[in-house]
Each structure stands twice: as structure tokens, then as C-alpha cells.
Amino acid sequence: MTFSICVHEPYETESGERHHRFGVAVTTRLPGVGTLCPFVSEHGAVATQSLVNVELGERGIAYIDDGLAVDDVLESLLNADEGAPQRQLHGVDRETTFTFSGEECGDWYGHREGETYTVAGNLLTGPAVLEAAAEAYEATAVRDEPDPSTGPDAVTTDVDTDPLAKRLIDALAAGDREGGDKREELSVQSAAVVVETTESHPVEPPYNDLRIDATETPIADLRETYDLAVRGYRDTLARYEGAYEADDLAESGE
């Protein structure tokens, strides 16, 4: 009863450090989707939907964190799940992607895989929803870019690139413009975006974990909340970054 996108991005900071980030963005015509669907760590991302089985997400991301491949993990969990025909499950790790849509999901349902992302949805107006979400993400994706001067493992430097959370919200918006969830009789909706990265920050960016649990305009509200979180994060860094780095409030100058 939703559509979502899972993403993996390798990247380099300006200082040349290599990192990985993962994210999930999701929206549906029901409240509270952020409590049920997205599961993310610095090792992978999983989305569980249709007739939701939260255990698939919880156990899936835990096993990925233990070093197992996302496709092996999620396929094994589905094989043990009697409700699998009604599930939709997809995800990514650093090397692999996985998508599954059970034959009893609500029409229209389907999924799509890219090299480093997956999208899936059910009870949609049609396949154009997923195509638009995927294309919007692909247009801004940070990915491995072979460079003869640096070798085959070169990655895009994370400079002048919008944060992944923003780009995932943009992907949701693109899918929604194509119709999104078809149940127009349900006015109370929700949306969420979650991002995890191997990069550490003195102050963790609050815009990487946002939920709109009940509203009639979930994507617009999620975007507004993201913008406010970014502004608040910048204000916090300007005033308190030294204090966090020193673990001492006296460094804030107050």
C-alpha cells in the first residue's frame, strides 16, 4: 500500500576519505509508514511493504549488519514466511540488490532494480510511478565513476551534491506526480526518509531521519520538514560545533 526506494551510494569526502551511505524513502495513503517500512544501517537498506511484516525489515537489516548478502538474507526470510505472496520486500547492500513482489499484492504492483538502487510499489496508478521515481533518482545518483588516473575503484567526490535525503524526497515527489497510491478515498497519508552513512559528524544531521506520520500532503510536508531541519542543523553548527567537538558546553561561548 505504498511505494518506496532503497539506495546505496559510495562517495569520497573533500579530504579523500571513502564512505558509503544508504537510504530509504517511502510514502503511502495510511498513517505512520515511517514506523513500519524503512530499515537502514551503514551496511544496507531494506523496505518491507504491501501486507507489512516488520520482522522482515528488522531481521533483514540485522543479518546484513552481520555480513550476509542482502539477496541471500531477504530470500531466506521470505522462504520462511507463510505470508510471502502478500509481501513486497526490496533492498540493497554494498554489492547487491534484491526485489520481490508477491503475486497477491494489490494491483498495480511491481518493482524495478538499478545497479545501486531498488524501487517497489503496490496499489499504484500504474508502472509510471516507479519509472518516474527511478529516473528522478538516477539523474542525481552518486556512483562509481572509473577514472584512468585514479583506478577502477574511483567514486564521485561528495562536493556540490544535494544530500541523499533531499534527493530521495525528490524521487518520491516524481512518483507521486505520476499518480502514486491510487486510493484517493484515503486522505490521511504519511511519508518518511532515513539515511545512514559510515561518515561521522560532530553533530549528526537531523535531516537524515524524518517522518510525517499523518497529513493530507505528506511529500510536501516532508520536504518542508527537511528544509527546516537543514536550516536548524546549520544554525546548530554555527553556534555549537566547537562545543560538540570538545564535548564541553563552555566552547559554545555562553
Side-chain angles (χ1 to χ4, degrees):
M1 297 173 283
T2 182
F3 71 98
S4 58
I5 179 169
C6 296
V7 165
H8 164 232
E9 290 188 342
Y11 67 98
E12 286 185 0
T13 64
E14 289 185 272
S15 62
E17 294 180 344
R18 180 166 179 149
H19 290 282
H20 296 264
R21 58 183 166 229
F22 293 88
V24 176
V26 56
T27 187
T28 190
R29 284 186 178 271
L30 291 173
V33 72
T35 68
L36 300 173
C37 175
F39 295 86
V40 185
S41 77
E42 63 182 38
H43 301 287
V46 174
T48 173
Q49 53 197 55
S50 190
L51 185 63
V52 171
N53 181 349
V54 173
E55 188 173 293
L56 296 177
E58 292 174 339
R59 294 179 65 187
I61 205 69
Y63 290 145
I64 292 168
D65 287 347
D66 285 341
L68 300 178
V70 64
D71 51 348
D72 292 337
V73 165
L74 299 187
E75 188 169 2
S76 295
L77 290 173
L78 286 166
N79 288 339
D81 182 5
E82 293 183 356
Q86 301 176 81
R87 315 290 190 210
Q88 226 176 13
L89 186 66
H90 64 112
V92 296
D93 61 20
R94 294 188 185 185
E95 305 293 338
T96 316
T97 61
F98 176 86
T99 52
F100 171 83
S101 298
E103 61 186 14
E104 296 178 17
C105 291
D107 195 39
W108 185 90
Y109 69 87
H111 54 256
R112 176 173 171 174
E113 291 183 66
E115 185 176 352
T116 60
Y117 72 90
T118 57
V119 291
N122 63 93
L123 286 172
L124 303 181
T125 56
V129 176
L130 299 188
E131 293 167 3
E135 289 170 4
Y137 171 69
E138 285 182 340
T140 62
V142 173
R143 55 174 62 89
D144 288 319
E145 297 289 353
D147 183 341
S149 66
T150 57
D153 295 327
V155 295
T156 302
T157 302
D158 194 29
V159 179
D160 297 329
T161 301
D162 283 335
L164 178 56
K166 178 183 184 300
R167 292 181 283 119
L168 291 178
I169 296 170
D170 290 343
L172 290 184
D176 191 61
R177 285 194 293 270
E178 292 296 327
D181 189 318
K182 71 180 182 181
R183 296 165 299 166
E184 294 184 356
E185 71 279 7
L186 296 176
S187 62
V188 179
Q189 305 172 53
S190 58
V193 61
V194 185
V195 173
E196 291 280 354
T197 176
T198 56
E199 185 180 1
S200 62
H201 302 272
V203 182
E204 289 302 313
Y207 53 79
N208 277 343
D209 190 354
L210 301 174
R211 287 169 27 196
I212 301 297
D213 283 341
T215 180
E216 293 187 347
T217 53
I219 298 173
D221 291 356
L222 187 61
R223 190 191 301 276
E224 181 180 4
T225 301
Y226 167 85
D227 290 340
L228 288 171
V230 169
R231 191 177 80 190
Y233 180 60
R234 290 171 178 166
D235 291 347
T236 299
L237 290 182
R239 186 159 190 169
Y240 294 111
E241 185 173 20
Y244 278 97
E245 290 177 341
D247 197 26
D248 185 350
L249 281 175
E251 296 293 326
S252 67
E254 295 184 346

